[in-house]
Amino acid sequence: MTRWITPSPVEIPASFAELDLHPLVAQTLVRRGITDLASARAFLHPDLLPPTRFPNIEPAVERISAALRNKELICVWGDFDVDGQSSTTLLVQTLQTLGANVMYYIPIRGKEGHGIHIDSLGPILDNGAKLILTCDTGITAHRAIDFANSRGADVVITDHHEPGETLPDAKAIINPKLLPDGHILENLAGVGVAYKLAEALLEQHASSYTRHALLDLVALGLIADVALLKGETRALVQRGIQVLRNTGRIGLRAMAELSGTSLESLTEETIGFNFAPRLNALGRLGDANPAVELLLSHDPARARVLAAQIEGLNAQRRLLTNQVYDAAEAQLRENPELLSEPAIILTSQSWPGGVVGIVANKLVERYHRPAILLNHSEDGLLRGSARSVEGLHITEAIATQKHILLGFGGHPMAAGLALEVEKLADFRKGLGRAIEAQLGKVVREEPTIQIDAWLRLDEITHELADSLEALAPFGAGNPSLTLATHKVGLRSVATIGKAREHLRLNVEDENGNVQPVLWWGGAGGELPEEGSKFDLAYSLRASTFRGQKQITLQLEAFRIVEEAPPELRPRRIEVIDLRTESASSLAKLQDEISALQIWAEGPDRARGKNRFELSQSDELAIWTIPPSPAELRDVLELVRPRKVYLFGASPNPEKTDEFLSRLTGMAKFIINQREGNVKIGELAVATAQRINTIWLGLEWLAAGGHISIQRDGAEDAVLLSTGDGGSNQYLQRELYVAVKGILEETAAYRAHFGRADVESLVEQ
């Protein structure tokens, strides 16, 4: 249960009158500790520091300037997340502007992981590189830097991750973690550090190139890396968003077009929910180097090709994320005691490493406590990602357990780590103590939602939304306002989005005022019952689309304050257990009940109707065990039966290779006999599997170059064709692990279905 906290009254300083602020904006500043005029002005209109104010930046500028004079080959070595991609692009673009002989390299996650690797560095040095310029990485790369030095090359490090006990033997190191506590630059992510270096270089060489043009990259990386929006970081993001709205980068414009993103009303949310996941998909599931090509490109045709590839990888990333998230939630339902620990720590042998960080973040958002997801890999080690909550430096907490870890690294809000399976219990205990040392017992308290103001629906106006934009950009260290309205009812619901994953709710108050509210990712979520009254918490943003001002309300939470009348509540279902009965019992039942709906799929689908053919009826017979509780819930909601007869025939469980082989045969038949046209639901019904299982299997075939998949809008219709033979082996491995995991989940659920109490299977 989430506790809602109503704001206490605050006194607005008289000096704030000079700022002409909306009362809610002024109240918010005071509640966030900004209580004098100078601080308020600095927050609302932050200034950027001169580039030379970054301590110890001069040695880096001198070494790079020498490389420019001597026409030395410079290699910019980045990282595969958006912060690393944008940092790499920014430095390459700056050096190209200054006439440098420059190349770039980003490791492939599936082959190398984070950091600088000697095996990859060697060929670059063989190619003549005399200066390695790192971004968003390098602060702990002692061996690789020593290797570069031994080969006659220098290294300049720009990074923002935590340094080790000693610093590498680099020519220069620029890292905000080496600054004194409280320094205005201490919150910069990798791209922010790269930008300060770029500023200094352009100033040193009196370049006519405007630093302003690089700020779109800075905003992209800082928001994607969830940098703390204070001091210089806030100033950079505030200006960078303005540049992004009018960006000249054709690659970003192509991405916006293919994803249906409006640049003119872009906010930090657009970066966080549209651009960042797509660019991160490259690094998580493939090779991130094309992201730099996309961001640097001046070729519209090439940019569109790259943007289309990114769109496809992002769809695969969503599939993998959903599969891992569902599995993680299933673990928590089965073991609720895990939620009583200071951190949620989950493990599996079937989680693709490329998305566990995303899922960890989703768990943090839902349960308001740090989360770590670990994949039990084939070599017997646990590897995974951690995500934190506000106020907890997760990397420092993990570092307290370094004596039992094989490796770790990160920053306050995120980290990666590896350990032996046998050490997991000790790690849980030690990490729990470290978290409680930082946060006390806060993580054990019930989750809360802080309301910034209670409003009537008729008080939600364009003027209010415009006024609140003075507090933007929102993010870590500057959360968006959570507003709330008392006692509204649900007037209508519509499913929206390409994948039908979002909801648009129309809510109505007691005076007849109506407001649309978006619930991102809300499809399938529990809604208030018809006729009930509830308090609604939401965020509010102003936007512009095709020159027209808009208001967007986004659902944050709701709580029921008045139950629906009893007659509107769902009917109780009578469940009859026939799990030991044969097909003859089903035939007899069918003869006795003319309106009986029979749900059957897979090899037995001829016995009845599949999940998409069923219709409303008072009586439902379930012949084939569903592949998961989700399909069962959907069918019960569709049929709305008063009586359910449980037979529960279980299709033979398939091993991963068997399933993929069968799916390959089906795909070939569809390409040869049906010109490639098929609906994903057809394949799910034929195999008695989940929709996601089919998608993941087809994506596995596509990653291997066996087929090509063309999606048909919002429907589940696709066009399959023969592939080009090119393969992405890392992505194939990730998808194989995901298919294996979801097949095992289905087999486990079907085994449970055969022996569980019938009342527990059919939710009332």
Side-chain angles (χ1 to χ4, degrees), residues 10-124:
V10 293
E11 184 177 346
I12 307 301
S15 60
F16 277 25
E18 293 185 30
L19 300 173
D20 192 26
L21 300 174
H22 187 284
L24 182 51
V25 174
Q27 292 165 19
T28 301
L29 291 176
V30 173
R31 289 191 178 109
R32 296 184 178 182
I34 300 171
T35 56
D36 62 85
L37 185 61
S39 298
R41 281 186 170 141
F43 177 85
L44 296 170
H45 310 290
D47 290 326
L48 290 173
L49 287 181
T52 52
R53 286 286 299 278
F54 202 121
N56 301 318
I57 202 169
E58 292 83 2
V61 173
E62 290 174 6
R63 180 60 187 89
I64 296 169
S65 297
L68 290 170
R69 288 192 304 271
N70 298 326
K71 301 296 183 182
E72 294 175 341
L73 176 60
I74 304 172
C75 175
V76 177
W77 187 296
D79 194 27
F80 40 72
D81 65 2
V82 181
D83 190 22
Q85 296 168 19
S86 54
S87 303
T88 303
T89 305
L90 188 149
L91 289 175
V92 169
Q93 184 172 336
T94 300
L95 291 169
Q96 287 176 341
T97 298
L98 296 174
N101 179 17
V102 59
M103 62 171 291
Y104 60 88
Y105 183 81
I106 295 177
I108 297 175
R109 178 188 179 118
K111 295 179 180 178
E112 301 165 87
H114 292 280
I116 307 174
H117 311 280
I118 292 176
D119 288 347
S120 302
L121 181 59
I124 292 172

Side-chain angles (χ1 to χ4, degrees), residues 22 182 187 355 553 592 632 634 748:
H22 187 284
N187 298 314
V355 298
L553 273 64
E592 294 173 352
L632 178 57
D634 290 345

Side-chain angles (χ1 to χ4, degrees), residues 265 267 462 465-466 469 541-545 548-552:
S265 59
T267 67
H462 288 287
D466 286 339
E469 287 301 309
R541 295 306 297 264
S543 61
T544 303
F545 183 68
Q548 297 294 315
K549 285 189 173 182
Q550 296 181 332
I551 298 175
T552 301

Side-chain angles (χ1 to χ4, degrees), residues 726-746:
S727 66
N728 179 337
Q729 294 182 355
Y730 171 61
L731 176 56
Q732 258 209 314
R733 287 198 302 273
E734 294 279 88
L735 289 163
Y736 184 93
V737 168
V739 172
K740 179 175 181 288
I742 204 168
L743 287 172
E744 289 173 352
E745 289 171 16
T746 294

Side-chain angles (χ1 to χ4, degrees), residues 53 313 333 368 607 612 623 636-637 758:
R53 286 286 299 278
L313 276 172
R333 285 193 300 270
H368 311 287
R607 295 186 185 276
F612 306 108
W623 177 258
L636 292 175
E637 185 177 337
V758 292

Side-chain angles (χ1 to χ4, degrees), residues 130-148:
K130 293 299 181 184
L131 175 61
I132 308 298
L133 174 56
T134 79
C135 47
D136 194 32
T137 191
I139 194 62
T140 59
H142 294 77
R143 288 183 61 248
I145 291 171
D146 288 344
F147 175 74

Side-chain angles (χ1 to χ4, degrees), residues 370-621:
I372 301 176
L373 265 66
L374 299 164
N375 183 50
H376 189 168
S377 54
E378 293 179 357
D379 59 7
L381 302 180
L382 294 173
R383 294 184 177 87
S385 294
R387 294 295 183 270
S388 192
V389 294
E390 195 78 22
L392 171 67
H393 196 307
I394 191 65
T395 302
E396 287 184 357
I398 290 172
T400 64
Q401 306 305 302
K402 62 184 178 182
H403 59 288
I404 59 175
L405 295 175
L406 298 173
F408 72 95
H411 51 81
M413 298 302 291
L417 65 156
L419 70 158
E420 296 171 349
V421 176
E422 300 77 31
K423 302 291 178 62
L424 180 60
D426 291 339
F427 176 72
R428 284 183 187 275
K429 293 176 184 176
L431 182 69
R433 290 192 295 269
I435 291 173
E436 289 186 343
Q438 283 195 47
L439 296 183
K441 300 292 183 179
V442 173
V443 292
R444 293 186 182 275
E445 295 180 359
E446 62 182 329
T448 61
I449 181 169
Q450 175 67 60
I451 305 301
D452 290 289
W454 288 91
L455 302 175
R456 301 189 310 272
L457 291 185
D458 60 344
E459 291 179 301
I460 300 171
T461 63
H462 288 287
E463 291 73 23
L464 172 63
D466 286 339
S467 297
L468 296 182
E469 287 301 309
L471 297 168
F474 299 111
N478 184 42
S480 60
L481 272 66
T482 299
L483 309 173
T485 299
H486 284 298
K487 294 189 73 172
V488 298
L490 192 58
R491 184 170 178 177
S492 64
V493 182
T495 306
I496 60 173
K498 283 187 176 182
R500 306 319 245 190
E501 70 270 44
H502 312 305
L503 295 179
R504 180 187 288 113
L505 316 177
N506 280 318
V507 299
E508 183 176 16
D509 66 15
E510 295 177 319
N511 296 318
N513 299 303
V514 178
Q515 279 284 357
V517 182
L518 297 179
W519 186 1
W520 299 119
E526 184 178 349
L527 288 167
E529 293 179 11
E530 181 182 351
S532 65
K533 296 294 183 183
F534 54 95
D535 291 341
L536 179 71
Y538 50 88
S539 61
L540 171 65
R541 295 306 297 264
S543 61
T544 303
F545 183 68
R546 295 177 180 171
Q548 297 294 315
K549 285 189 173 182
Q550 296 181 332
I551 298 175
T552 301
L553 273 64
Q554 298 177 26
L555 184 143
E556 300 290 336
F558 65 84
R559 63 179 181 184
I560 303 297
V561 295
E562 184 180 312
E563 297 287 353
E567 63 271 14
L568 294 179
R569 291 182 181 175
R571 308 173 284 187
R572 185 170 182 83
I573 300 172
E574 180 184 354
V575 186
I576 299 171
D577 188 1
L578 299 174
R579 288 176 293 182
T580 60
E581 300 294 324
S582 64
S584 60
S585 298
L586 177 66
K588 182 180 178 182
L589 196 64
Q590 193 172 14
D591 290 339
E592 294 173 352
I593 307 170
S594 59
L596 180 70
Q597 294 270 308
I598 302 173
W599 181 16
E601 295 185 351
D604 291 328
R605 57 189 181 277
R607 295 186 185 276
K609 296 180 178 180
N610 65 55
R611 69 193 84 166
F612 306 108
E613 297 171 333
L614 294 166
S615 58
Q616 190 167 332
S617 175
D618 282 343
E619 302 194 70
L620 171 69

